[in-house]
Amino acid sequence: MNSLERVFSTVKGDPVDRRAFSLVLSLYGAKLTNCPLSEYYASPEKYLAGQRAVVELADPDILFTPFALPLEARAFGCTLKQFDTAPPNVIRPACKGLSDLAALHAPSVTDDPGLRYLVEATRLLAHEFGGDKPIAALLTAPMDLPALLVSIGEWIEALLFDADKRDELFRLASDHFVALATSFFEAGASFVVIPVMFANPQLLTPKLVGEYVIPALARAFSRVPGPIVFHHGGNPLVSHLGLVRDLPNVVGFALDHRDSFAQARAAVGEGPVLLGNLSGPHLPGLSPAEAYVRTRKIMSALACDPRSIFCTSSADIPWSTPPETIKAVVAAVLDAGQE
C-alpha cells in the first residue's frame, strides 16, 4: 500500500498493511533546508523543498500545508511579527474594536500574496506528492478568525452582548473560510483541517455554544466542498465531542494529547477517523528513548481501533526538536506495525 491507499482505507475501515501515521512538520521543513522563515512563509517553492526534506526524514503518510494561520489575518489588515524559529503571529488586530468594523473587508484569495502563497504551496505539494500521500490543508475556523481581527476580548464581547456585530463578523469570516477552503480543494487538497477554539464550553458558556456557535459552524461547514477534520484547537476535545460530532462534512477529529482515544470513540461512534495524540510541542523535552516509549504506548492504545491514525497533536513540532527524536517516533510506529 502507498500512503494514499493506507489513509483512505483507514477512513473506510478497510484492512491496512500497518497503522497510518503523520507528524505536523510543516515548520520543520524550514529547519531541514536551512531556509529563513521570512522566505519559507512567502515562497511556495521553498515550502515544497522543505516538505521534500520532511519526506526524506520521516516519510509520513499525510503531508500538511503551511501551519501559518496568521497569514489569513494579515489579509484582513492585521499586523504580524516574524520570528526566526517559529511561524509568524498577530501582534495588532485589523481594527480598533467593534466600533471600527467598517474598516474590515474580505480579502481576495487570488490577489492577497499570503493567501496566494497558501494555495500555491498546496498546489505544488499535491502535484508532487498527491498521487502517493494525502495533502491536509490548514485554515482558520470561522468562529476563531474574528478573535484575530478584533482581539479576543472584543470578540467575546460581541458573542455575549452584540448580536449585530457578532453576525457581521461571522459573515465576513465564514465567506473567507469557504472561499479559501474551496481554493485549497481546487489546488488538490485531500481534506482540510480546522483548529477550533470557540466551540469549547470551557471557553464560552455551554448555552452560547449550543444555541449559536454550533449552528453557525454547521452553516459554514455545509458550504465547504470536501471533507473536514475537526482539530481540538489546543484544548481537550473529548468532553464536548457530542456537540460537534454531527457537523456537516466532518470525517474525523484530531484529538488533544490529553484526550482518550477510547472515550472519543465512545462519543462519536464507529464512523469518524480519530487522529492524535502525541503532543508535538512537547517533543523537544523528550529524549529519543522517551519518545519511542511514549509512542509505543499510544500505538498500543490504538490497536483495537481500525479507524485511528497516529499523529502529533496541537501545533507544529518545534524547531528545537532533535531529528533523532522524530526518527524515534517514526521507528516506534513502524515497529508496532510489524508485531
Side-chain angles (χ1 to χ4, degrees), residues 142 177 194 217-224 228 230 247-250:
F177 169 78
I194 319 293
L217 273 181
R219 290 193 295 273
F221 282 14
S222 69
R223 297 166 59 195
V224 171
I228 294 171
F230 189 105
L247 286 170
N249 291 320
V250 172

Side-chain angles (χ1 to χ4, degrees), residues 91-215:
I91 59 169
R92 187 177 301 122
C95 58
K96 297 176 181 176
L98 298 179
S99 61
D100 193 32
L101 296 190
L104 283 179
H105 300 286
S108 164
V109 174
T110 55
D111 292 341
D112 178 80
L115 301 183
R116 278 205 314 270
Y117 158 79
L118 293 173
V119 174
E120 186 60 19
T122 304
R123 192 185 318 281
L124 293 182
L125 283 177
H127 181 264
E128 181 153 330
F129 295 106
D132 178 62
K133 298 178 186 295
I135 306 300
L138 292 141
L139 75 164
T140 309
M143 289 305 298
D144 290 9
L145 182 60
L148 299 176
L149 304 184
V150 299
S151 81
I152 292 175
E154 294 283 313
W155 178 223
I156 291 177
E157 181 178 336
L159 285 169
L160 293 174
F161 305 118
D162 194 330
D164 289 341
K165 295 291 191 297
R166 179 191 66 196
D167 292 345
E168 184 177 354
L169 279 165
F170 192 73
R171 178 187 57 76
L172 270 173
S174 295
D175 288 348
H176 161 77
F177 169 78
V178 173
L180 185 57
T182 300
S183 295
F184 282 148
F185 282 114
E186 290 174 350
S190 308
F191 56 92
V192 293
V193 181
I194 319 293
V196 185
M197 292 181 63
F198 283 92
N200 191 325
Q202 294 179 343
L203 300 178
L204 301 173
T205 65
K207 184 174 186 293
L208 186 62
V209 172
E211 292 186 4
Y212 180 73
V213 173
I214 299 302

